[in-house]
Every structure is written in C-alpha cells, then in structure tokens.
Amino acid sequence: MIAHLINTDVGGRGILRLYLDYRRENFNFLHNSATMLLNNFKRVLIVTGFPIPPADIPETDGPPGALAVALAVEKLGGRADILTYPEIRGALTEFWDSFVERPRISEYSLVIAIETPGKSSDGMHYSMSGLEIKREALDGVVLEARRRGIPTIGIGDGGNEAGMGKVRELVVRYIPQGEKIASVVETDELITSAVSNWGAYGLVAEASMLTGENLLGDFDEVGIVKALAEAGIIDGVTKRADVSVDGIDMEVHSMIMKFLKAIVEQRVKDKLKLEL
C-alpha cells in the first residue's frame, strides 16, 4: 500500500509506468530498503540537493525527506549526517545540526541519496528538461560507498537521480528524454516515488511498521518547506521560491503525509494488540 501511495503520479511526469514495471521485478523494494536501514542505522550519511538550471538553485524536493530520515535514524538510536548545498544547510539549521561538507565515507554504515543528481552515460548531470547542471554534484559519495562495499539506498522520481541507474532501461523507456538524462549511478536498493520526499517518508513509514514504533512522529513538512522557500530554495517545477514541491500544492503533500501517518499508527496499534 505504501509503495503505491508514494508513486501516485500527481504531477503526471511518467514515474507510474516505470514504478509498475520495477515493482513486478522487485516487489519488496520498499521492505528491503527499510530492512537495510534498520540493519545499518548506527552511522548514516544522507545526501540531498538538486540544483535546477539555469541558475542551479536547489529545489524544495529532497531536503524535507532527508530531514525525515535523519530524525528517524536518531529515534532508532543511530547518528545521521546530512551532506547538501550551503543554502539548504542554512535553511535547515533550525531543524537539524549535524551537517558535513567532506564526509569520510569509510566511517559510515549506510549512505542514502535522496533527490540528488546522478551522472548520465556521457558523464554529465541533467535536469528532467535536459538542461545541463553545472554546479558540483554530490553523487561521488554514492560511487565511493559502492566501491567500499558500504550499503546504499537511492530515492528518486525522475530517472536522473543518484540510484536510478538501477532502472536505467526503464527510465529510457518511460521518461521523456530518458536516453539523455538517465542516471547511471546505481544503489543497492532503490525507492521510486512520484515526489522524492514521498519516497523518503515511505521509507520511514515502512521502517516504522517493521519496528512497531512511529518514526514519522509529528514531522512538520509544511514548516520545513516554508523555511526552505524563505531561504530562496525553489520549487523545481515552477522555479520560484514557492511554498510547494514539484509544482504540487502543500495541501496534497500534507494529505499524503497524513495518510502515511494513519497507516503507521494503525499498524503500531495492531502490533500492540497482538503483544497483549
């Protein structure tokens, strides 16, 4: 149910057909990702930030999801660091204080990439519209983690993100300009979603159901997006500092979050009943 919910293609960008094919071959992708998180949460590096050309200003999709995962890791008893762009870091300091600029990958037990560009087959990084991203990309930490055998999870919604190299053929098949923009950067596990933030929330929700603990808690997505917009972080679709994500009103995002929290709360209650 959660996998279906987070892949609801409200923006009509093509991820639904990709997801359906992906899930046929990887039915338990969300469960497997949550299990990987729960088995490796002691020291987690979360990478996020997607610069939108031509100005290469980061967007509001990704950072809220990264924060939700970081808070969940903390609740589990682990430690999470966030690697992102300076303006995102500045906007999130009121919500989180553990950021890194040059992480030592060997020190981490898990690396999670949430909505950050992954290089394409020509070695460049592209937006969904096919524009080149000229700002420094952060996907190198994913590649290094892979080389070192450190577990990795990718979360993406358009095919051009780190991790989506795992389904490159599907990106080419279903996503406009897929041949050009498709990422070749793979991760061990991959979560597809219609909005990458939703994929991160889905990961936390799935982990909550496995542990019986509500790891989403009172997470305030609207407040976080407002802080990002006030700092000049833009909606990746409108390209303005709007209080929205991927051109979708916050009312819709809030309903997705409300539904996820309701699913988790019901599962936690059911688990408690079984234990009585």
Side-chain angles (χ1 to χ4, degrees), residues 179-258:
E179 182 67 47
K180 179 180 181 179
I181 72 171
S183 169
V184 298
V185 179
E186 298 187 34
T187 47
D188 298 305
E189 297 294 343
L190 171 68
I191 297 173
T192 66
S193 51
V195 176
S196 291
N197 286 337
W198 298 357
Y201 305 152
L203 172 62
V204 175
E206 187 75 14
S208 297
M209 294 200 294
L210 290 175
T211 61
E213 178 183 0
N214 188 348
L215 300 172
L216 282 172
D218 56 355
F219 185 76
D220 178 19
E221 181 185 26
V222 175
I224 294 162
V225 175
K226 284 181 178 178
L228 290 166
E230 288 171 359
I233 307 304
I234 63 174
D235 181 306
V237 172
T238 69
K239 296 181 175 58
R240 299 188 302 265
D242 297 330
V243 183
S244 59
V245 180
D246 282 354
I248 302 170
D249 292 343
M250 290 311 300
E251 181 180 4
V252 176
H253 294 284
S254 295
M255 287 190 288
I256 293 289
M257 176 62 76
K258 184 177 181 180

Side-chain angles (χ1 to χ4, degrees), residues 127-153:
S127 68
M128 282 199 72
S129 58
L131 295 177
E132 180 186 346
I133 298 167
K134 296 182 179 180
R135 192 167 184 177
E136 180 184 6
L138 306 174
D139 56 341
V141 297
V142 177
L143 296 171
E144 184 179 346
R146 296 271 288 173
R147 286 193 295 269
R148 291 177 175 274
I150 296 169
T152 53
I153 299 172

